[in-house]
Amino acid sequence: MTHIQISPSILSANFSNLGDEVEKLEAAGADRIHLDIMDGHFVPNITFGPALIRDLRTRTKLPFEAHLMIEPCDPYIADFAKAGADIILVHPEAGTHLHRTIQLIKDQGVKAGVVLNPTTNNDFLKYVIEDIDQVLVMSVNPGFGGQEFIQAQLPKIRDVKKIIGNRPIEIEVDGGVTPETAPACIEAGATILVAGTSIFKTSDYKSNIDALRSLSK
């Protein structure tokens, strides 16, 4: 049985009280915290930067994964690593040289991952597969929470799993992940589920996290 990790996206949290929200997520059994970094250019939304991550870092020991939806991303990688990100995830479209970007991340001593948008070709992975720790498959178009799951991404997840083979690389799915859509993601090969709306829909974060994790049993 594959252990499924749950990574709540604080994009759906109460921004007026993020420190407490992160502590509640840890107490509720979250495995990591997903940080959506948006610049209003690469995606049509603006969120936050390294300073907020640095402040949140003092509130939990959970791994932080910084999903960089910014262009260009290379000049800011060191800042996010120093702020406390344990994993930095980048889009191939957000820079000119994906391999160089991944090396910049690894040089900071943190894990590196590649993000595949709904129409991003999986072939990008073949040329960096030996250098990455994680693949994030977007099951919505990036930029906003609360979107409907794109069913066409399930074959993409299966293809990513084939490309990875026996390598110790996590497969993460982000976008429209609910108790209804999660089983298909897990069956296709997902090992990490990012969830925002489905976790923050009620104040009982533990029950909402448990509802997602139980689907892997």
Side-chain angles (χ1 to χ4, degrees):
M1 181 182 68
T2 301
H3 172 68
I4 299 300
Q5 297 185 57
I6 306 300
S7 183
S9 167
I10 62 169
L11 184 64
S12 299
N14 181 346
F15 269 48
S16 70
N17 209 13
L18 279 181
D20 288 348
E21 292 276 72
V22 167
E23 290 183 357
K24 290 176 183 177
L25 291 169
E26 181 173 12
D31 296 287
R32 49 178 71 190
I33 300 295
H34 193 81
L35 304 157
D36 291 297
I37 315 301
M38 305 181 186
D39 64 358
H41 171 64
F42 185 69
V43 291
N45 198 3
I46 298 174
T47 54
F48 48 82
L52 181 65
I53 295 177
R54 183 187 63 239
D55 291 344
L56 290 178
R57 184 71 280 177
T58 65
R59 304 294 291 270
T60 179
K61 294 181 180 179
L62 290 179
F64 278 178
E65 50 184 21
H67 176 188
L68 303 189
M69 288 168 273
I70 60 177
E71 182 183 10
C73 62
D74 288 9
Y76 304 98
I77 285 171
D79 291 336
F80 282 104
K82 291 174 183 175
D86 301 282
I87 306 158
I88 296 179
L89 306 162
V90 295
H91 291 252
E93 300 89 348
T96 306
H97 305 289
L98 179 60
H99 184 271
R100 178 179 295 164
T101 300
I102 291 170
Q103 295 307 312
L104 285 172
I105 296 171
K106 304 293 275 190
D107 287 346
Q108 295 299 315
V110 301
K111 293 183 177 181
V114 173
V115 187
L116 302 174
N117 282 335
T119 59
T120 301
N121 195 314
N122 289 355
D123 285 346
F124 276 107
L125 294 178
K126 297 177 182 178
Y127 306 102
V128 295
I129 196 68
E130 303 298 341
D131 301 298
I132 60 176
D133 305 284
Q134 190 168 313
V135 178
L136 171 55
V137 177
M138 293 298 300
S139 43
V140 299
N141 290 298
F144 295 97
Q147 298 183 67
E148 185 175 345
F149 185 89
I150 301 174
Q151 293 291 330
Q153 297 312 293
L154 293 173
K156 179 185 282 284
I157 299 169
R158 295 189 187 98
D159 187 42
V160 167
K161 185 177 181 181
K162 290 179 182 178
I163 294 171
I164 289 173
N166 294 323
R167 298 176 182 86
I169 298 173
E170 302 280 5
I171 301 176
E172 186 171 40
V173 178
D174 180 6
V177 174
T178 67
E180 291 71 39
T181 60
C185 296
I186 296 168
E187 184 277 331
T191 56
I192 306 170
L193 300 176
V194 177
T197 304
S198 63
I199 288 177
F200 293 96
K201 63 183 178 181
T202 70
S203 60
D204 190 351
Y205 299 163
K206 186 178 189 309
S207 292
N208 298 335
I209 289 172
D210 288 347
L212 288 171
R213 185 178 284 114
S214 66
L215 297 170
S216 64
K217 296 180 180 179

